[in-house]
Amino acid sequence: MDIEKLLGELTISEKCALLVGADAWHTIAIPRLGIPSIMMADGPHGLRKQLESGNSIEIQESYQAVCFPAEVTVASSFDPELAFQMGEGIAKECLNKDVQVLLGPGMNIKRSPLCGRNFEYYSEDPVVSGEMGAAFVRGLQSKNVGACLKHFALNSQESYRMISDSVADERAFLEIYTQAFRRALQENPAMVMCSYNKVNGVYASENPVLLDDVLRKKFGYQGVVVSDWTAVNRRPKALKATLDLEMPGYVYSVHQLEKAVRHGIVSVEEIDASVRRILALVESKSANRIEDFDLADNHALARRIAEGSIVLLKNDEQILPLAPTDKVALIGRLARETRYQGGGSSHINPFQVDSLLDRMPPEADCQYAEGYTLQGDGWDEKLLAEAQALATGADKVIVVVGLTDEYESEGYDRRHLNLPRGHQALVEAACAVNANVIVVLQIGSPVLMPWKDDVKAIVNAYLLGEAGAGALADVLYGKVNPSGRLAETFPAHLEEAPWWGHYALGNGEVHYQESVYVGYRYYSSAKIPTLFPFGYGLSYTRFEYSDLTLDRDILRVPGAVSVSVRVRNTGDRFGKEVVQLYIENNQDRQFKPAIELKQFKKIALAPGEETIVRFQLTEADFQYFEPAIKMFVSDSGDYTVQIRKDAETLLLSAPLRLENPGQKDYAMNFMKAESYRICG
């Protein structure tokens, strides 16, 4: 395809038409010039291609596809290789169904656990979100299926998402809320999708600071920017902000662009810039060919990803793993009707859904009772009594509870962190008659656990996808050693959160008053204990850390310091461990979080085996954004390199001094900026 030649042959009307979707899912084709159409479809944890892929954007019946674990689940694996494999597996289904671009991954930071769509995002931490999202993009695009990062930016709530105005300071915007996008952009995704909300007073779809200054100029993105579906407010203004493609397609928008060109509001050069990007995307993806694929292969892959993502939160007296001889009461409707995905546009028509009841080992001595319904708050006195009676005579009780789509979904936010009343009552009823209660959670975001001290074990299964029940059974019975870690904080009290009392209350300005203190950055800085901290997770084996070594105790900029730590499996089982490296910040000119995760690696060790895990730190790991001079800078001073089990548990530390000769230059610029601010 000779793009420059086509630009000379296309009429203005045809160019404008290329910048608006042909329908709900396709770009427009120009047959007379041999320009084909390409198709987009919802993701991100599976392919949702509607059976009728025309003008309707309503959530309708879709083709069967493998429902992989949700992003919240995959993030808890802390394993980018699994994210890569998931992207690659979904790409094979896209090729089979003639889909050229998948609308995912979701890269938004979890500002609050109340966000109804948090199951579709990775983490509260930009390092975890960035690495996992980048790996997914690599996997998807390894098969030449385009990825679409979403939703850019500051899309941290679902209620009033069409009209709310996210107001954040520059540091929070650049250090927290766009860092994961910036990392994933290094993988050259085919698209970036703007968000519905306003950003500092201007709709994201027509925000030149957001799309042109930050995304294109500062971050260097050269691909297609697409609107979220129906997110465009004024099409000509969106084009001038460099939004290339409006979805879904409306003829009215084409006419708006044509009129804007005639009246000189939009230049032909601006039109051509977007058309070039659309044509480059179409050229790169239209050569894809339909390929045969067996969904059973992805079902098996989804199970392997689930195995690496389950988080063991509590295991008193090593009640887990279970023995085949244990007389087990399995109670809770979700044990039979698994909640394996979230609600909304990412809802997959699954290929084969497994349940925990069906996947319990054949030799297990297990009886089942429902305990609650899946309607409303789940309360049913008769079902509760039957479940409690079953629990009374069991050696061990597995209580499966969680959140239904009514409690968390795209389109609205949660008002509290409680489990449904019937689920809560079932845990309490089981504890009242049996001392050996194991709680399994099927959730897309944190919940409060007033019964935490009354149960022996807690397994956070999150949303494991269609094949996750088999992985869960393997964890419960010890065939698989749990290795997941929380990629988000579970608060002990909602009222202690920095956004409490201000979150998603109305349709006006949403002030991110906590700035960079998001998630564990806040709780560690304020020294507030949590229910379970970021990075937390248990294992059936034990890992011992030693010999934290830095190859130098002074990092002179520019330069690097090599960090190594020895990790040994001192238990009697094979296991995987997430090695987490944090920096304890010095507190100099600007406020900073007390600690920040900088790098992580997941390792696998047999009993008695040890390895040396290596990291490399550079100036970038110590930088923060200085608003006065519009630069990322690092301050000379004393820092601490830390290896932590989680955000609340320090294992090893070593001092490091940073010496930055360039600090004198930007300090002078800082002084000039302050002088201008005072005098000007």
Side-chain angles (χ1 to χ4, degrees):
M1 184 183 291
D2 188 335
I3 292 177
E4 293 307 313
K5 184 173 183 290
L6 287 172
L7 283 172
E9 296 175 339
L10 286 161
T11 67
I12 287 295
S13 293
E14 288 171 332
K15 290 178 180 180
C16 292
L18 280 166
L19 305 183
V20 178
D23 52 30
W25 304 106
H26 298 84
T27 63
I28 196 166
I30 311 289
R32 77 176 186 88
L33 294 175
I35 299 174
S37 169
I38 62 171
M39 183 180 184
M40 295 152 274
D42 271 322
H45 57 268
L47 173 62
R48 189 182 74 86
K49 178 180 178 179
Q50 293 184 179
L51 295 179
E52 296 295 331
S53 298
N55 284 317
S56 176
I57 62 171
E58 297 296 322
I59 298 173
Q60 299 177 346
E61 187 177 357
S62 56
Y63 289 94
Q64 273 197 333
V66 169
C67 181
F68 283 84
E71 280 75 355
V72 62
T73 315
V74 181
S76 66
S77 75
F78 276 74
D79 190 343
E81 177 58 27
L82 290 182
F84 176 92
Q85 293 174 18
M86 177 169 157
E88 184 181 42
I90 294 174
K92 293 175 182 177
E93 295 191 41
C94 289
L95 292 175
N96 180 252
K97 290 295 187 287
D98 198 22
V99 171
Q100 287 74 48
V101 177
L102 185 88
L103 302 178
M107 300 298 295
N108 293 106
I109 293 297
K110 300 180 183 184
R111 178 183 176 227
S112 164
L114 291 176
C115 178
R117 204 174 184 178
N118 271 355
F119 58 83
E120 208 169 309
Y121 304 132
Y122 288 111
S123 177
E124 68 188 29
D125 180 77
V127 172
V128 176
S129 295
E131 292 301 323
M132 300 300 288
F136 180 88
V137 171
R138 282 198 306 277
L140 191 69
Q141 298 197 158
S142 70
K143 298 295 182 182
N144 203 40
V145 174
C148 178
L149 308 184
K150 62 183 187 181
H151 309 85
F152 195 76
L154 295 178
N155 180 193
S156 300
Q157 66 180 59
E158 287 296 292
S159 299
Y160 310 104
R161 64 179 179 173
M162 298 284 191
I163 49 179
S164 64
D165 181 9
S166 297
V167 181
D169 64 85
E170 284 185 289
R171 285 195 62 198
F173 178 74
L174 291 171
E175 291 181 32
I176 304 295
Y177 293 100
T178 60
Q179 272 300 314
F181 284 95
R182 191 170 193 172
R183 170 64 187 91
L185 285 170
Q186 295 174 12
E187 309 301 330
N188 297 313
M191 285 182 167
V192 173
M193 182 190 294
C194 78
S195 54
Y196 286 117
N197 52 283
K198 295 177 182 178
V199 176
N200 293 331
V202 182
Y203 280 108
S205 63
E206 57 188 42
N207 193 321
V209 174
L210 180 69
L211 301 183
D212 192 20
D213 293 351
V214 175
L215 182 60
R216 295 202 187 277
K217 293 186 175 70
K218 186 182 289 291
F219 293 175
Y221 181 61
Q222 299 178 4
V224 169
V225 175
V226 63
S227 72
D228 202 341
W229 269 228
T230 73
V232 171
N233 183 40
R234 290 169 288 186
R235 187 63 186 98
K237 192 168 183 179
L239 179 81
K240 293 185 76 68
T242 74
L243 185 134
D244 301 305
L245 180 62
E246 177 183 358
M247 293 298 295
Y250 300 104
V251 173
Y252 174 70
S253 295
V254 179
H255 294 163
Q256 275 190 310
L257 289 175
E258 293 173 340
K259 182 178 179 181
V261 173
R262 288 196 303 270
H263 289 275
I265 297 170
V266 170
S267 69
V268 174
E269 290 74 21
E270 288 172 314
I271 293 284
D272 283 355
S274 283
V275 171
R276 278 190 188 92
R277 290 188 284 264
I278 296 293
L279 291 178
L281 173 65
V282 170
E283 180 183 31
S284 68
K285 306 304 175 192
S286 58
N288 289 355
R289 294 292 176 260
I290 296 175
E291 298 181 4
D292 292 335
F293 184 69
D294 187 348
L295 292 179
D297 292 342
N298 267 356
H299 185 83
L301 173 60
R303 178 167 175 164
R304 292 197 299 272
I305 294 171
E307 288 175 356
S309 304
I310 294 169
V311 187
L312 180 61
L313 295 176
K314 184 177 181 180
N315 194 22
D316 285 0
E317 301 175 18
Q318 286 72 54
I319 191 173
L320 292 176
L322 299 170
T325 55
D326 288 331
K327 182 180 180 182
V328 174
L330 178 63
I331 59 177
R333 179 74 170 270
L334 289 176
R336 181 166 66 88
E337 294 184 38
T338 305
R339 184 166 186 254
Y340 54 93
Q341 65 176 328
S345 63
S346 66
H347 197 274
I348 307 300
N349 178 14
F351 164 65
Q352 174 188 318
V353 179
D354 299 334
S355 74
L356 181 58
L357 180 60
D358 291 337
R359 292 299 172 185
M360 293 289 277
E363 68 275 13
D365 183 357
C366 174
Q367 290 185 291
Y368 166 75
E370 292 197 350
Y372 52 78
T373 72
L374 295 180
Q375 287 75 47
D377 65 5
W379 174 265
D380 187 301
E381 190 170 355
K382 180 181 178 182
L383 294 179
L384 181 64
E386 291 172 351
Q388 188 177 44
L390 182 64
T392 302
D395 296 331
K396 296 172 183 176
V397 183
I398 302 174
V399 185
V400 185
V401 292
L403 299 173
T404 63
D405 284 356
E406 187 175 336
Y407 277 71
E408 57 174 354
S409 177
E410 178 184 352
Y412 53 87
D413 293 311
R414 303 166 67 189
R415 305 314 308 169
H416 56 74
L417 296 185
N418 300 323
L419 286 170
R421 178 192 175 201
H423 299 229
Q424 183 82 16
L426 182 61
V427 178
E428 295 168 352
C431 290
V433 297
N434 198 303
N436 295 317
V437 173
I438 300 156
V439 172
V440 172
L441 297 168
Q442 294 179 7
I443 54 178
S445 49
V447 295
L448 298 178
M449 306 179 199
W451 35 260
K452 174 188 172 186
D453 294 337
D454 300 323
V455 302
K456 288 281 180 67
I458 305 171
V459 179
N460 183 9
Y462 273 127
L463 303 177
L464 285 175
E466 64 173 50
L472 177 58
D474 285 347
V475 165
L476 291 172
Y477 280 87
K479 186 176 179 180
V480 170
N481 192 347
S483 62
R485 303 291 182 268
L486 295 179
E488 60 187 340
T489 302
F490 276 50
H493 306 284
L494 196 55
E495 298 80 4
E496 293 174 340
W499 37 260
W500 174 249
H502 304 279
Y503 184 77
L505 295 182
N507 59 2
E509 293 183 344
V510 179
H511 290 274
Y512 288 46
Q513 71 274 7
E514 69 278 3
S515 186
V516 297
Y517 294 103
V518 179
Y520 74 88
R521 286 170 167 80
Y522 170 73
Y523 291 103
S524 61
S525 300
K527 295 182 171 57
I528 296 176
T530 62
L531 185 65
F532 293 105
F534 171 89
Y536 181 87
L538 303 176
S539 172
Y540 293 154
T541 192
R542 299 180 303 279
F543 295 95
E544 181 181 279
Y545 288 73
S546 62
D547 300 333
L548 175 61
T549 304
L550 280 57
D551 70 342
R552 63 198 66 191
D553 54 13
I554 298 176
L555 171 58
R556 292 183 176 87
V557 177
V561 56
S562 295
V563 180
S564 64
V565 63
R566 188 182 303 275
V567 185
R568 182 179 180 83
N569 183 346
T570 60
D572 57 4
R573 289 175 177 266
F574 170 86
K576 296 182 179 180
E577 175 74 340
V578 179
V579 184
Q580 304 171 43
L581 186 149
Y582 294 74
I583 294 294
E584 182 181 36
N585 285 309
N586 71 346
Q587 302 296 328
D588 196 1
R589 179 171 45 251
Q590 278 282 14
F591 59 86
K592 303 169 189 173
I595 60 170
E596 293 182 280
L597 179 75
K598 294 301 178 181
Q599 297 179 39
F600 63 89
K601 289 185 180 179
K602 193 164 192 177
I603 60 173
L605 296 173
E609 185 180 6
E610 69 177 26
T611 189
I612 295 178
V613 181
R614 303 182 189 278
F615 303 95
Q616 187 173 76
L617 298 173
T618 65
E619 180 192 9
D621 294 300
F622 299 84
Q623 288 181 333
Y624 64 93
F625 185 78
E626 176 49 73
I629 56 176
K630 309 298 182 185
M631 290 174 56
F632 272 91
V633 300
S634 60
D635 291 333
S636 297
D638 295 322
Y639 298 80
T640 305
V641 178
Q642 300 181 339
I643 300 296
R644 288 178 169 266
K645 191 73 171 176
D646 52 62
E648 290 184 2
T649 309
L650 175 64
L651 298 175
L652 299 168
S653 65
L656 178 67
R657 179 162 185 79
L658 182 77
E659 292 185 356
N660 184 5
Q663 184 175 357
K664 295 178 181 178
D665 298 329
Y666 70 70
M668 184 64 68
N669 291 334
F670 178 81
M671 292 173 64
K672 290 178 180 178
E674 286 295 293
S675 175
Y676 176 81
R677 183 184 300 171
I678 294 169
C679 301

